[in-house]
Amino acid sequence: MRFSIEEILETINMVSKENLDIRAVTMGINLQDCASPYPEELCTNIREKIYSVAKNLVPEAEKLERKYGIPIVNKRISLTPISTVIAPAVRGLEKEHAIDIAVKVAKTLDSIGADLKFDLIGGYSAMVQRNISYSDEVLIESLPRALSETKRVCSSINVGTTISGINLDAINLIAKKLKETAEATKIQKGFGCAKFVVLCNAPEDIPFVAGAFHGYSGGESTINIGISGPGVVKTAVQSLKQGATVVEVAECIKRTTFKITRAGELIGKEIAKNLNTSMGAVDLSLAPTPKTTDSVAEILEEIGLEQTGAHGSTAVLYLLTNAVKTGGAMATSRVGGYSGAFIPVSEDTKMNEAVKCGALSIDKLEAMTAVCSLGLDMIAIPGDTEWEVIAAIMADEMAIGVMNNKCTGVRLIPVPEGKEGQDVDFGGLFGKATIIRLNKKSPAKFVRRGGRIPAPLHSIRN
Amino acid sequence: MLEKELVVLTAFGKDKTGLVAGITKILAENKVNIEDLSQTIMQDMFAMLMLLDISESGIDFETLQKKLDEEGNKLGLQVKIQHKNIFESMHRV
C-alpha cells in the first residue's frame, strides 16, 4: 500500500479523537472599488462585490470537508478596512448622520453574511496607529451600535506599529467605546466586545476573527487558512517517553505541526483554485476551543506545569510557539497571520480553570503574550472598570508588541454589573470566563496625557 | 486512459461474514477499481483499508460515499473514503 496502516490511522485518529480541524477558511475581499459618496450605492456595490466573489465559498468548503474528511469549522470573509470604504460617504457629514451610515454598512454586511452562511465577517476596521481620520473616528464611534445591532460583524482597530509608535488618543477613544459596547449588549453579558480586538503590528492576512481584515496589498481576493489542533499536539507530547528532554518535546511538536500545516495548505490551495482566486497565508496558530482535548493550556500542563500560570509558563509557551512556527514554516511557504499559539481565557477551558483558582493572573497572562501570537484574549473584567484602566491594559499590551516587533492584541469584555470572581457564560465556542482580578491602582493620569507614544529606536532602520 | 484518481477507503466494525463482499460489491457495481487492499481483525473488530481508483467510475465522490454509507449501515460498518492527497500531504515530504 502507498501509505502504511499507521499513517492512515494517525490521520483518522487526529480528526476523530483529537479534534484536528481546519479552524477557518477566510476569504479576503477588496472593497476599495465599492466606495461611493452615496450610501445606497455604497451598500449595493458591497453586496454585488461580495456575492460575485464569495457566493460559493461555503459550498466549496463543505465539498472539501467531505473529500478530505477534515472538518472546516468556520467559513468567513475579511474585508478592506471599512473606514476606508465609507470615507467618501461620510465626508462632510455631521457625526451622528455619519455614524448612521457606518451602521447601515455594518447591517448590510450582516445580512450578506446571513444569506451566504458566513459565520463571521472581519474587517469593520481602521488603521489609526499614527493619526485618526474622520472616517476612522466615525467607525470607532459607531462600534457600540455596529457590534450590538449585528450578529456577524467583527471589528479590529490597529493602534500601534513598531514604525509609528502607539496612538494613545485612539486607545482612549476605543476604551470608552468598549464600555459603551458592553452596555449596549448588556443582555448578552457584554458579548459585543468579544467581536472586537485592538491590535498593534496587525498582519494583513489574518484568517481569525475578530482580527481579520483584507490588507491593502491583498489584491482583489485571497484565501487565508487558520489551522488548528491543540489536541493533536497534546497527544503527541503525551506519547513521548517518560523524562523526554525539552529538545525532544520541541522536536515532537515540530513534526506534528508540520503535518497539520500540510493539511491546511492542501485545503487552502484547492479552495483557492476552485474559487478562482489566490492562496494567501496559512496561519500556524494553535487555536483552542472550550471542548476538552482542544486546549493550549493542556499542552503546557502536559509539558510539565502543575497548572497554567505556574512559574515556567512563559518559558513553556515560548517552547511551544517556537516549535509550532518552526514545524509550520517547513510545511508551507505562505506563513502568515498571527502564527503562534492563542491563549484566550474563556475559549480554553483549562486556561479559565487556572484563572478561576487563582493560578493564572492577568499579569502572568500579559507576560505570556510576549512570546505567543496574539495577546490578552477573551478576558472578562469587572463591569465597573474605569475606561482609563482599560486603556492602560491596552497600552501595556501594545507596548509589548511595538517594542518587540510583533503583533499583539487585546480582547476584553467588561461584563456589565459583573464582579471579580463571578463566572460568565458566553455560549458555544466563546466559552465561559471567570471575571479576572485587575490591579486597583489608577493609571488615569498617564492615559489622559494622550498623544502618540513615540516609536522605539529600532524603528529607525532606513 | 484517464489519469488515476485515488482515494483511501477505511472500514471499521464488528467482524462477521460478508463484510468484504458487501463493500466490494458496491465498488464493482460503480466501476471503482481496487488498487490495493489490506485487512485485519483487531480484538474482534474488523478493519479494512483500500486504495481505490475512481477515475473510471461514472459517479462522483459524494455519491459513492453515500452508497458506501448505506451499505455500511446494513453491515454495521463505518465506511469512509478520503482523497489520497490528504495522506500524501501529511505523511510525505
Side-chain angles (χ1 to χ4, degrees):
Chain A
M1 176 97 56
R2 187 185 284 237
F3 309 102
S4 73
I5 293 181
E6 288 75 21
E7 286 170 335
I8 289 174
L9 289 182
E10 186 187 2
T11 298
I12 288 174
N13 281 338
M14 279 181 176
V15 175
S16 62
K17 295 191 181 143
E18 297 153 18
N19 290 319
L20 171 66
D21 53 45
I22 304 296
R23 189 50 50 86
V25 168
T26 305
M27 185 177 211
I29 303 170
N30 170 33
L31 293 188
Q32 290 183 79
D33 54 357
C34 297
S36 161
Y38 310 107
E40 284 302 331
E41 188 175 86
L42 167 64
C43 291
T44 306
N45 291 349
I46 290 176
R47 192 175 281 276
E48 283 175 6
K49 182 77 185 266
I50 295 177
Y51 270 82
S52 72
V53 180
K55 69 172 182 301
N56 289 330
L57 174 64
V58 174
E60 279 297 334
E62 286 172 347
K63 209 163 98 185
L64 293 188
E65 282 181 284
R66 293 189 289 269
K67 180 171 176 185
Y68 293 118
I70 291 192
I72 300 172
V73 181
N74 299 300
K75 294 99 180 169
R76 304 165 164 167
I77 56 169
S78 62
L79 308 169
T80 303
I82 292 293
S83 76
T84 305
V85 184
I86 60 169
V90 301
R91 190 180 64 174
L93 296 183
E94 279 181 20
K95 187 66 73 60
E96 213 171 311
H97 187 189
I99 288 175
D100 283 342
I101 291 171
V103 173
K104 185 182 164 71
V105 170
K107 286 182 172 174
T108 303
L109 296 174
D110 207 37
S111 80
I112 298 169
D115 264 8
L116 297 181
K117 299 193 170 60
F118 305 136
D119 64 310
L120 291 168
I121 297 173
Y124 197 76
S125 304
M127 307 286 115
V128 294
Q129 57 268 25
R130 201 167 277 275
N131 284 308
I132 310 178
S133 72
Y134 184 62
S135 66
D136 296 333
E137 195 178 314
V138 167
L139 183 120
I140 295 171
E141 294 202 20
S142 77
L143 286 175
R145 282 189 57 198
L147 297 176
S148 64
E149 294 175 26
T150 64
K151 272 191 183 163
R152 293 171 179 77
V153 175
C154 294
S155 172
S156 59
I157 310 285
N158 193 68
V159 296
T161 62
T162 299
I163 299 293
S164 306
I166 302 168
N167 188 342
L168 198 53
D169 289 332
I171 289 180
N172 288 346
L173 178 60
I174 289 165
K176 291 175 196 164
K177 293 298 153 190
L178 193 76
K179 288 203 71 167
E180 287 176 31
T181 303
E183 277 304 316
T185 50
K186 192 173 177 176
I187 202 156
Q188 299 165 279
K189 297 157 192 150
F191 180 70
C193 301
K195 296 181 285 175
F196 174 77
V197 63
V198 53
L199 296 170
C200 77
N201 290 326
E204 296 193 334
D205 48 11
I206 303 169
F208 294 102
V209 290
F213 65 94
H214 183 70
Y216 296 108
S217 63
E220 276 304 323
S221 67
T222 186
I223 292 285
N224 297 316
I225 298 288
I227 59 153
S228 194
V232 179
V233 173
K234 188 215 153 193
T235 308
V237 175
Q238 213 167 20
S239 69
L240 284 169
K241 66 177 192 297
Q242 193 81 15
T245 66
V246 284
V247 178
E248 287 165 325
V249 172
E251 185 64 28
C252 161
I253 296 170
K254 270 163 56 180
R255 283 172 183 275
T256 310
T257 316
F258 176 86
K259 293 176 187 169
I260 302 173
T261 309
R262 292 273 286 202
E265 165 112 341
L266 170 73
I267 288 184
K269 270 194 209 162
E270 190 155 335
I271 201 162
K273 188 172 151 238
N274 295 352
L275 292 171
N276 203 16
T277 182
S278 64
M279 167 79 181
V282 181
D283 189 322
L284 306 175
S285 302
L286 290 181
T289 67
K291 275 192 266 183
T292 46
T293 76
D294 207 16
S295 156
V296 168
E298 224 167 36
I299 305 174
L300 306 184
E301 291 166 18
E302 187 59 47
I303 295 174
L305 303 172
E306 183 183 351
Q307 190 158 26
T308 304
H311 293 296
S313 297
T314 312
V316 175
L317 184 59
Y318 156 69
L319 186 165
L320 171 66
T321 311
N322 196 47
V324 165
K325 285 184 192 177
T326 321
M330 283 292 290
T332 175
S333 302
R334 303 177 173 86
V335 180
Y338 296 123
S339 285
F342 290 166
I343 50 168
V345 173
S346 77
E347 293 168 350
D348 187 320
T349 310
K350 290 279 175 186
M351 201 67 77
N352 192 48
E353 273 174 25
V355 168
K356 193 174 170 62
C357 75
L360 181 58
S361 65
I362 192 157
D363 303 319
K364 188 64 182 174
L365 272 166
E366 186 185 304
M368 288 163 76
T369 64
V371 298
C372 77
S373 66
L374 182 49
L376 295 170
D377 195 15
M378 287 302 284
I379 300 176
I381 60 170
D384 60 0
T385 308
E386 303 285 346
W387 71 261
E388 291 94 336
V389 174
I390 295 175
I393 295 171
M394 290 174 174
D396 276 344
E397 194 56 47
M398 298 303 109
I400 290 174
V402 165
M403 190 63 180
N404 293 303
N405 231 331
K406 73 190 282 295
C407 172
T408 51
V410 177
R411 187 158 55 143
L412 297 176
I413 302 157
V415 180
E417 292 169 15
K419 303 270 179 263
E420 185 185 307
Q422 277 178 1
D423 293 325
V424 196
D425 190 348
F426 297 113
L429 285 178
F430 290 96
K432 291 179 191 163
T434 303
I435 297 178
I436 210 163
R437 179 186 167 75
L438 299 178
N439 192 305
K440 302 285 188 282
K441 300 293 180 191
S442 173
K445 187 176 168 188
F446 154 58
V447 296
R448 282 170 180 269
R449 287 180 188 276
R452 179 155 52 93
I453 305 179
L457 183 62
H458 54 263
S459 69
I460 311 169
R461 287 181 301 204
N462 290 334
Chain B
M1 193 171 145
L2 286 168
E3 200 180 317
K4 282 183 184 175
E5 192 173 357
L6 298 176
V7 303
V8 173
L9 178 147
T10 47
F12 299 99
K14 200 163 165 24
D15 190 28
K16 63 176 184 184
T17 50
L19 296 182
V20 178
I23 298 296
T24 48
K25 186 173 137 263
I26 299 287
L27 300 176
E29 277 171 9
N30 293 289
K31 290 190 187 158
V32 174
N33 188 37
I34 301 171
E35 297 260 322
D36 203 345
L37 183 152
S38 137
Q39 176 242 299
T40 182
I41 307 290
M42 297 185 293
Q43 296 163 343
D44 280 348
M45 292 297 279
F46 167 86
M48 181 168 69
L49 299 175
M50 282 182 182
L51 191 64
L52 309 173
D53 178 11
I54 58 169
S55 59
E56 304 279 339
S57 172
I59 58 170
D60 64 11
F61 188 89
E62 291 178 26
T63 319
L64 180 61
Q65 176 70 67
K66 243 180 231 164
K67 292 189 179 216
L68 289 167
D69 280 344
E70 282 165 17
E71 188 62 25
N73 285 340
K74 281 190 221 158
L75 298 168
L77 274 184
Q78 268 191 331
V79 189
K80 192 170 182 172
I81 49 172
Q82 287 166 281
H83 200 278
K84 59 102 184 156
N85 282 358
I86 191 73
F87 302 100
E88 214 153 68
S89 292
M90 290 176 79
H91 301 286
R92 298 287 178 271
V93 177

